[in-house]
């Protein structure tokens, strides 16, 4: 019988190996971090993938994460940058931060972990209260598989990759628990070890809905990009529907 702590640590390690090679989002964060005075605030830094890229480029970063097992991996990963990285167990739903930031990055679907409208409102209000003018917030948002490939819903997909010298085998299945809530089950194996299960939930937030919430929280000049090119930023129209993951940008 594995302890809960062991399972959490093992899942954090899996997550780290699984996402570490993803870099498509990094250029926009580096670009914006260079345009605003630091430190940058990253919300939902998880195991520190984006945090490390920012720190390696010389940026000071405050990273927030609510999962201690992921924070522990992030601390290890960012150890060489201890002079400019501070990682903190802080849930933005509950409180703003005492400092003020010009650039806030809510990376890779952290906003989709929020379970209802009230949490979304509190999160954005506290993000706004943790910022100063001029300021920018970026929210990288997920798009359910049911929008992109509905025929794949409920089916197992096999993913095999090598990451940091380790072999990963993942069976991945998505289901919609309601029209907005996707459940993702990942059965993973590291280096041929025992298969373990990781279940996560993500709540879809439509671009126009997010734009309304951002406006309500005091943000303006709200735009979105469907790729990772800031040059393609467009205003959000009420019936805009993403064709995949998307990013929303808003300013103070
Ligand atoms: C999919 S992970 C993001 C991974 C990481 N940012 C990356 O880009 O590789 C989303 C993370 O957001 C964290 N999170 C969710 N809600 C949060 C909140 N209110 N405050 C801080 N972190 C939060 C979750 O624990 C989770 O680790």
């Amino acid at each position: 019988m594995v302890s809960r702590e062991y399972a959490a640590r093992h899942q954090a390690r899996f997550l780290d190996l699984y996402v570490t090679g993803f870099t498509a989002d990094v250029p926009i964060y580096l670009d914006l971090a260079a345009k605003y005075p630091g430190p940058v605030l990253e919300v939902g830094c998880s195991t520190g993938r984006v945090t490390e890229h920012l720190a390696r480029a010389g940026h000071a970063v405050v990273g927030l994460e609510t999962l201690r097992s992921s924070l522990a991996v992030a601390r290890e990963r960012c150890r060489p940058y201890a002079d400019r990285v501070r990682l903190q167990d802080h849930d933005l739903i509950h409180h703003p931060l005492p400092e003020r930031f010009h650039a806030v990055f809510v990376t890779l679907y952290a906003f989709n972990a929020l379970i209802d409208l009230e949490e979304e409102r509190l999160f954005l209000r506290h993000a706004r209260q943790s910022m100063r003018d001029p300021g920018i917030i970026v929210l990288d948002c997920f798009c359910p598989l049911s929008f992109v490939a509905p025929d794949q819903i409920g089916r197992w997909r096999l993913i095999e990759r090598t990451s940091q010298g380790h072999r990963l085998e993942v069976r991945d299945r998505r289901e919609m628990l309601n029209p907005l809530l996707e459940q993702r089950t990942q059965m993973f194996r590291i280096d041929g070890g025992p298969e373990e299960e990781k279940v996560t939930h993500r709540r879809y937030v439509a671009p126009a809905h997010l734009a309304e919430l951002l406006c309500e929280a005091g943000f303006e000049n709200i735009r979105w990009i469907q790729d990772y090119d800031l040059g393609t930023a467009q205003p959000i129209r009420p019936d805009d529907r993403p064709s995949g993951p998307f990013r929303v940008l808003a300013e103070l």
Side-chain angles (χ1 to χ4, degrees):
M1 180 80 178
V2 292
S3 73
R4 234 190 231 195
E5 198 191 323
Y6 172 83
R9 265 193 281 128
H10 202 62
Q11 292 199 355
R13 182 160 173 256
F14 158 63
L15 197 69
D16 191 48
L17 292 172
Y18 191 72
V19 297
T20 203
F22 181 69
T23 54
D25 54 350
V26 173
I28 63 168
Y29 296 131
L30 291 178
D31 188 357
L32 292 172
K35 288 191 174 121
Y36 289 83
V40 164
L41 176 64
E42 185 192 354
V43 187
C45 65
S46 187
T47 59
R49 178 184 65 88
V50 174
T51 329
E52 185 188 15
H53 282 287
L54 287 163
R56 195 187 296 134
H59 300 291
V61 189
V62 173
L64 307 185
E65 176 52 55
T66 51
L67 277 181
R68 290 208 189 136
S69 49
S70 294
L71 261 186
V73 176
R75 291 208 165 100
E76 195 52 43
R77 182 194 267 263
C78 293
R79 197 183 293 279
Y81 314 104
D83 60 327
R84 69 199 89 134
V85 172
R86 193 180 90 219
L87 298 166
Q88 207 172 312
D89 180 359
H90 181 102
D91 190 333
L92 210 56
I93 292 168
H94 299 312
H95 310 283
L97 286 164
E99 309 108 292
R100 299 286 172 267
F101 299 85
H102 291 278
V104 176
F105 304 151
V106 186
T107 46
L108 208 60
Y109 316 154
F111 191 71
N112 300 101
L114 308 184
I115 58 162
D116 62 22
L117 182 59
E118 195 46 29
E119 283 197 354
E120 291 167 3
R121 286 205 167 106
L122 288 167
F123 182 100
L124 294 177
R125 187 185 307 156
H126 294 152
R128 168 68 187 85
Q129 289 167 357
S130 308
M131 291 176 69
R132 70 167 85 237
D133 194 358
I136 190 157
I137 186 168
V138 181
L139 300 109
D140 193 352
C141 298
F142 118 110
C143 176
L145 188 65
S146 57
F147 283 25
V148 186
D151 56 313
Q152 295 302 310
I153 289 289
R155 294 200 183 170
W156 288 105
R157 193 165 60 108
L158 181 65
I159 300 155
E160 290 176 306
R161 64 172 71 143
T162 301
S163 172
Q164 297 173 17
H166 296 277
R167 198 160 55 82
L168 270 188
E169 294 165 73
V170 187
R171 291 191 296 125
D172 183 305
R173 187 178 67 182
R174 320 279 179 97
E175 288 154 293
M176 295 308 286
L177 300 188
N178 66 42
L180 297 184
L181 189 64
E182 186 185 273
Q183 174 172 286
R184 180 183 199 184
T185 305
Q186 289 170 300
M187 303 299 301
F188 67 93
R189 209 189 281 282
I190 304 174
D191 293 330
E195 190 176 62
E196 293 181 48
E197 183 185 62
K198 181 167 173 59
V199 178
T200 40
H201 296 94
R202 288 168 177 166
R203 185 170 183 271
Y204 172 67
V205 183
H209 171 64
L210 183 48
E212 267 175 41
L213 293 174
L214 283 160
C215 187
E216 195 182 293
F219 291 94
E220 50 192 48
N221 195 17
I222 301 160
R223 289 154 296 146
W224 73 321
I225 50 177
Q226 293 211 63
D227 46 29
Y228 286 104
D229 178 356
L230 293 169
T232 64
Q234 301 272 337
I236 298 171
R237 292 177 311 230
D239 53 353
D240 274 337
R241 191 179 153 101
S243 55
F246 62 98
R247 288 93 233 156
V248 172
L249 317 163
E251 290 174 88
L252 292 186

